[in-house]
Amino acid sequence: MRRILTASDRALLVEVDDLESAVRLHAALEAAPPVGVVELVPAERTVLVRCEPRRLPEVRIALERIALAARTAAADRCVEIPVHYDGEDLDEVAEHLGLSPAEVAARHQTATWRVAFTGFAPGFGYLVGDDPVFDVPRRASPRARVPAGAVALAGRYSGVYPRESPGGWRLIGRTDAALWDLDRDPPALLLPGTTVRFVDASRAHPATAADRRRGRPAPLEARAVDMPGDRGIAPAVEVIEPGLQLLVQDLGRPARAHLGVSASGAADRGALRAANAAVGNGHGEAGLELLGGGARLRLRGAGVLALAGAGVDAALVHADGGVEPVPRGAPTAFREGDELVTGFATRGVRALVAFRGGLALTPVLGSLATDTLAGIGPRELGGRALRAGDVVPLRGLSGVREAVAPWSPAPCALPAPGETVELRVVLGPRDDWFAADALDALLGDEWAATSRSDRVGIRLEGSRPLARAVPGELPSEGTETGAVQVPPHGQPVVFLPDHPLTGGYPVIASVVAADLDLAGQIPPGARVRFRLSGADVGRPS
């Protein structure tokens, strides 16, 4: 069986019978990708195929015709992971399996595990083993915090949490192995196809233990850069007050799904492009994304900045006490000692600030984007947000083209709290998992954006929860930015750039690409209406 499902206006989800078929399909697509395919996200019974939107119809035809690859051979790569078998759920797992805790540990070590696919978080591998005893239900209520290094079971999979995160898997042990290390090539220890053997940490030779996890990154220090500045001072931005959240963002790191890494990037990509255009940068140069406003940044040296995105009042406060308004979308020169001070957003929720020449930081996996879920960002920051005392060096005034015409945002283009914004969607891939009245509620009701929203997703609340027609768990599958995922409580979540690569709740619809920037600017208290897009992307075959 093979079904081609619509995942968005730029992606298709191919569903097959089982894990082996999914692995073979992924291998076939990797070996000979159809024209227009951008990225593949394999999962338990599906492969998410991201492609150029204009190529979507021909990619669909190619996916219907492509033959599965030959049965996959055993991988040459094998790793050992030392485990302390003292997990919080070990006794419950043992009781469920009809074994003693010691027998669970022994059989977990005796089994040969293979990384079937990656997802959830960078470095997280879904391991399938050859011992049929391991079939363990997830916790009814996920933990808010699972520690890094936790070794866990769920269904017939085992896995190791690379970093602290929420999770509903059953914890049977812990390891000090570094599942994700940016100083390693590749940074993920567990890649698809890798064979894994777990060993008792108390008996493992010290040489088998991986590097210890690093501590919290220290504040950024100013460093010299070879660019001209005012009176020889290296240009930089010092964070005095970061506001609610201040992040380094660019257009993201696409095509890293094989490492378990989502693209991330600015929540309003158009605003970042506009700010960069105003100061004469290339459109993909990194800038600062400010949530809600309320920031105060001291500027060192001389340079040019521009502000775009959310409606915030901003001004340069000069060292002599003078105040100069900073208009949105226009280049503004600054001098040594000036401070950029922003008010709070009245429309939209995220302002983007670009500096001529860009930020002199070290990319990770080819990008400076900060992924708040995965904890990946500029190397100097270790994936965290900027905080008071950080100093971000700038490249300065040379090496960039002339500034272009200022950006003029349409009046009232962004929503304010209490207003209603419309997002266009395409249905799928799992709209058939929902009752007919759920589709009526999705498209007919207004949904309130709650204060629990963040860069992972907009958490919505409505008067009619979206009722399921298909019970049970959905095997994890790839998800898109803009996906409207529905947890068991029936209140939808619209995924934003820092969403997990794979998810186990059904996606009823997906916001079209043209409306993603608008989605990234929806503030808490605004209301959302979904409308079916006029784009003909087809239905499942």
Side-chain angles (χ1 to χ4, degrees), residues 482-499:
V484 184
Q485 190 188 66
V486 185
H489 52 58
Q491 303 290 352
V493 179
V494 180
F495 278 167
L496 292 182
D498 291 355
H499 68 89

Side-chain angles (χ1 to χ4, degrees), residues 7 113 182 184 187 207 211 215 228 256 288 345 360 363 383 400 480 482 494 512 526 541:
W113 300 89
L182 290 171
R184 183 170 56 206
D211 295 336
R256 305 289 181 176
L288 302 182
V400 294
E480 284 279 87
V494 180
V512 301
S541 60

Side-chain angles (χ1 to χ4, degrees), residues 14 24 30 51 57-58 82 98-99 146 179 190 192 200 292 334 475 487 490 497-498 505 540:
V14 189
R24 293 170 61 193
E30 274 199 319
C51 51
E58 58 196 90
L99 303 172
V146 175
L179 277 294
L190 304 181
D200 189 331
F334 62 83
D498 291 355
Y505 296 138

Side-chain angles (χ1 to χ4, degrees), residues 269-342:
R269 296 160 66 88
L272 178 61
R273 289 187 176 101
N276 273 319
V279 298
N281 291 340
H283 69 269
E285 195 67 57
L288 302 182
E289 181 183 272
L290 171 62
L291 176 66
R296 186 167 148 238
L297 308 175
R298 182 172 294 136
L299 304 165
R300 299 183 180 179
V304 179
L305 61 81
L307 194 72
V312 297
D313 290 330
L316 285 181
V317 179
H318 300 303
D320 61 7
V323 177
E324 176 186 353
V326 176
R328 292 170 66 213
T332 301
F334 62 83
R335 305 188 299 273
E336 163 66 22
D338 286 353
E339 290 189 0
L340 175 65
V341 179
T342 72

Side-chain angles (χ1 to χ4, degrees), residues 218-221 237-240 381 384-392:
L220 279 173
E221 297 292 340
V237 179
E238 180 183 357
V239 180
I240 307 301
L381 289 167
R384 65 169 172 83
L386 289 162
R387 54 183 182 237
D390 285 336
V391 178
V392 180

Side-chain angles (χ1 to χ4, degrees), residues 212-516:
R212 299 285 179 178
R213 295 180 297 277
R214 294 177 176 80
R216 188 182 187 193
L220 279 173
E221 297 292 340
R223 68 174 188 266
V225 290
D226 188 20
M227 291 288 180
D230 192 11
R231 297 192 300 275
I233 298 172
V237 179
E238 180 183 357
V239 180
I240 307 301
E241 296 176 8
L244 296 177
Q245 185 185 62
L246 186 64
L247 302 172
V248 175
Q249 293 294 354
D250 58 18
L251 296 181
R253 48 180 67 83
R256 305 289 181 176
H258 63 291
L259 298 175
V261 177
S262 292
S264 187
D268 185 343
R269 296 160 66 88
L272 178 61
R273 289 187 176 101
N276 273 319
V279 298
N281 291 340
H283 69 269
E285 195 67 57
L288 302 182
E289 181 183 272
L290 171 62
L291 176 66
R296 186 167 148 238
L297 308 175
R298 182 172 294 136
L299 304 165
R300 299 183 180 179
V304 179
L305 61 81
L307 194 72
V312 297
D313 290 330
L316 285 181
V317 179
H318 300 303
D320 61 7
V323 177
E324 176 186 353
V326 176
R328 292 170 66 213
T332 301
F334 62 83
R335 305 188 299 273
E336 163 66 22
D338 286 353
E339 290 189 0
L340 175 65
V341 179
T342 72
F344 291 93
T346 55
R347 290 195 170 275
V349 72
R350 292 178 172 91
L352 278 298
V353 187
F355 299 89
R356 189 167 189 177
L359 312 182
L361 297 173
T362 308
V364 167
L365 300 176
S367 169
L368 292 179
T370 303
D371 186 329
T372 59
L373 180 65
I376 300 176
R379 186 172 289 273
E380 294 85 349
L381 289 167
R384 65 169 172 83
L386 289 162
R387 54 183 182 237
D390 285 336
V391 178
V392 180
L394 304 176
R395 292 201 188 97
L397 298 176
S398 65
V400 294
R401 59 187 173 84
E402 292 300 315
V404 299
W407 171 65
S408 299
C412 303
L414 299 180
E419 295 183 349
T420 299
V421 60
E422 186 177 86
L423 297 177
R424 293 168 292 173
V425 297
V426 295
L427 295 180
R430 298 298 176 184
D431 50 306
D432 59 348
W433 275 55
F434 293 87
D437 60 353
L439 293 176
D440 292 340
L442 175 74
L443 299 172
D445 293 357
E446 287 192 350
W447 301 87
T450 72
S451 60
R452 295 177 289 109
S453 302
D454 54 22
R455 280 182 50 89
V456 174
I458 309 167
R459 287 157 177 83
L460 301 174
E461 286 184 355
S463 58
R464 290 191 290 171
L466 304 181
R468 294 259 294 266
V470 178
E473 291 187 356
L474 176 71
S476 291
E477 58 191 30
T479 58
E480 284 279 87
T481 301
V484 184
Q485 190 188 66
V486 185
H489 52 58
Q491 303 290 352
V493 179
V494 180
F495 278 167
L496 292 182
D498 291 355
H499 68 89
L501 194 67
T502 59
Y505 296 138
V507 171
I508 191 171
S510 186
V511 177
V512 301
D515 287 357
L516 291 179

